């Protein structure tokens, strides 16, 4: 059973630092495929952006169906 623990700003900042350090290590070398480059771009954008992004699908809608 998980217990809710509150997180301080310092905890958040330390976790963010660890995440960014890990990303630096993971992306040390240039991607070898276009797919890997696209993946890295998406991950880095997610790590470096400080803005909320729209959720897909929007509330009240569903994912497109494959016919």
């Amino acid at each position: 059973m998980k217990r809710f623990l509150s997180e301080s700003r310092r905890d958040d900042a330390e976790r963010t630092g660890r995440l960014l350090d890990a990303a630096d290590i993971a992306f040390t070398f240039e991607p070898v495929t276009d797919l890997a480059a696209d993946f890295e771009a998406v991950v880095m954008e997610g790590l470096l952006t400080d803005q909320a992004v729209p959720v897909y699908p929007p509330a009240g809608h569903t994912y497109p169906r494959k016919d």
Side-chain angles (χ1 to χ4, degrees):
M1 180 165 82
K2 283 189 173 183
R3 289 185 287 178
F4 177 78
L5 301 174
S6 64
E7 183 178 70
S8 69
R9 287 180 183 258
R10 181 178 178 177
D11 294 333
D12 182 54
E14 289 173 353
R15 186 187 66 240
T16 299
R18 289 191 305 271
L19 178 62
L20 293 174
D21 289 344
D24 284 341
I25 293 167
F27 299 128
T28 298
F29 302 103
E30 290 296 317
V32 293
T33 66
D34 289 340
L35 180 61
D38 291 343
F39 175 77
E40 182 176 328
V42 169
V43 170
M44 293 308 290
E45 182 177 344
L47 289 173
L48 299 176
T49 188
D50 195 24
Q51 299 176 355
V53 295
V55 175
Y56 183 83
H61 293 79
T62 61
Y63 289 97
R65 293 181 186 231
K66 192 173 185 179
D67 292 328

